[in-house]
Coordinates of all heavy atoms in Angstrom, one line a residue:
R178 N 1.9 -1.4 -21.1 CA 1.9 -0.7 -19.8 C 2.5 -1.8 -18.8 O 3.3 -1.4 -18.0 CB 0.6 -0.2 -19.4 CG 0.7 0.5 -18.0 CD 1.6 1.7 -18.0 NE 1.8 2.2 -16.7 CZ 1.2 3.3 -16.2 NH1 0.2 3.8 -16.7 NH2 1.5 3.6 -15.0
Q179 N 2.0 -3.1 -18.9 CA 2.5 -4.1 -18.0 C 4.0 -4.2 -18.3 O 4.7 -4.5 -17.2 CB 1.7 -5.3 -18.3 CG 0.4 -5.4 -17.6 CD -0.4 -6.7 -17.9 OE1 -0.7 -7.0 -19.1 NE2 -0.8 -7.3 -16.9
E180 N 4.4 -4.2 -19.5 CA 5.9 -4.3 -19.7 C 6.6 -3.2 -19.0 O 7.7 -3.4 -18.5 CB 6.2 -4.4 -21.2 CG 5.6 -5.7 -21.9 CD 5.7 -5.6 -23.3 OE1 6.1 -4.6 -23.9 OE2 5.4 -6.7 -24.0
V181 N 6.1 -2.0 -19.1 CA 6.8 -0.9 -18.3 C 6.8 -1.1 -16.9 O 7.8 -0.8 -16.2 CB 6.0 0.4 -18.7 CG1 6.6 1.7 -17.8 CG2 6.2 0.8 -20.2
E182 N 5.7 -1.7 -16.4 CA 5.6 -1.9 -14.8 C 6.6 -3.0 -14.4 O 7.1 -2.9 -13.3 CB 4.2 -2.1 -14.4 CG 3.2 -1.0 -14.7 CD 3.8 0.3 -14.0 OE1 4.2 0.2 -12.8 OE2 3.6 1.4 -14.5
I183 N 6.8 -4.0 -15.3 CA 7.8 -5.0 -15.0 C 9.2 -4.3 -14.9 O 9.9 -4.7 -14.0 CB 7.8 -6.1 -16.0 CG1 6.5 -6.9 -16.0 CG2 9.0 -7.1 -16.0 CD1 6.2 -7.9 -17.0
K184 N 9.6 -3.4 -15.8 CA 10.8 -2.8 -15.7 C 10.8 -1.9 -14.4 O 11.9 -1.9 -13.8 CB 11.0 -1.8 -16.9 CG 11.2 -2.6 -18.2 CD 11.4 -1.6 -19.5 CE 11.5 -2.4 -20.7 NZ 11.6 -1.5 -21.9
R185 N 9.8 -1.3 -14.0 CA 9.7 -0.5 -12.9 C 10.0 -1.3 -11.6 O 10.8 -1.0 -10.7 CB 8.3 0.2 -12.7 CG 8.3 1.3 -11.6 CD 6.9 1.8 -11.3 NE 6.2 2.3 -12.4 CZ 6.3 3.5 -12.9 NH1 7.1 4.3 -12.4 NH2 5.6 3.8 -13.9
E186 N 9.4 -2.5 -11.6 CA 9.6 -3.4 -10.5 C 11.1 -4.0 -10.3 O 11.4 -4.4 -9.3 CB 8.7 -4.5 -10.6 CG 7.2 -4.2 -10.4 CD 6.2 -5.3 -10.7 OE1 6.6 -6.4 -11.0 OE2 5.0 -5.1 -10.7
Q187 N 11.8 -3.8 -11.4 CA 13.2 -4.3 -11.3 C 14.1 -3.3 -10.7 O 15.2 -3.6 -10.4 CB 13.7 -4.6 -12.8 CG 13.0 -5.8 -13.4 CD 13.2 -6.1 -14.7 OE1 13.8 -5.2 -15.5 NE2 12.9 -7.3 -15.3
I188 N 13.6 -2.2 -10.4 CA 14.5 -1.1 -9.8 C 14.4 -1.4 -8.2 O 13.3 -1.5 -7.7 CB 13.9 0.3 -10.0 CG1 13.8 0.6 -11.5 CG2 14.7 1.4 -9.2 CD1 13.2 1.9 -11.9
P189 N 15.5 -1.5 -7.6 CA 15.5 -2.0 -6.2 C 14.9 -0.8 -5.3 O 15.2 0.4 -5.5 CB 16.9 -2.3 -5.9 CG 17.7 -1.5 -6.9 CD 16.9 -1.5 -8.1

Side-chain angles (χ1 to χ4, degrees):
R178 183 62 193 265
Q179 284 179 296
E180 290 172 356
V181 170
E182 293 306 318
I183 288 171
K184 291 180 181 177
R185 193 190 304 277
E186 291 170 4
Q187 293 171 348
I188 303 172

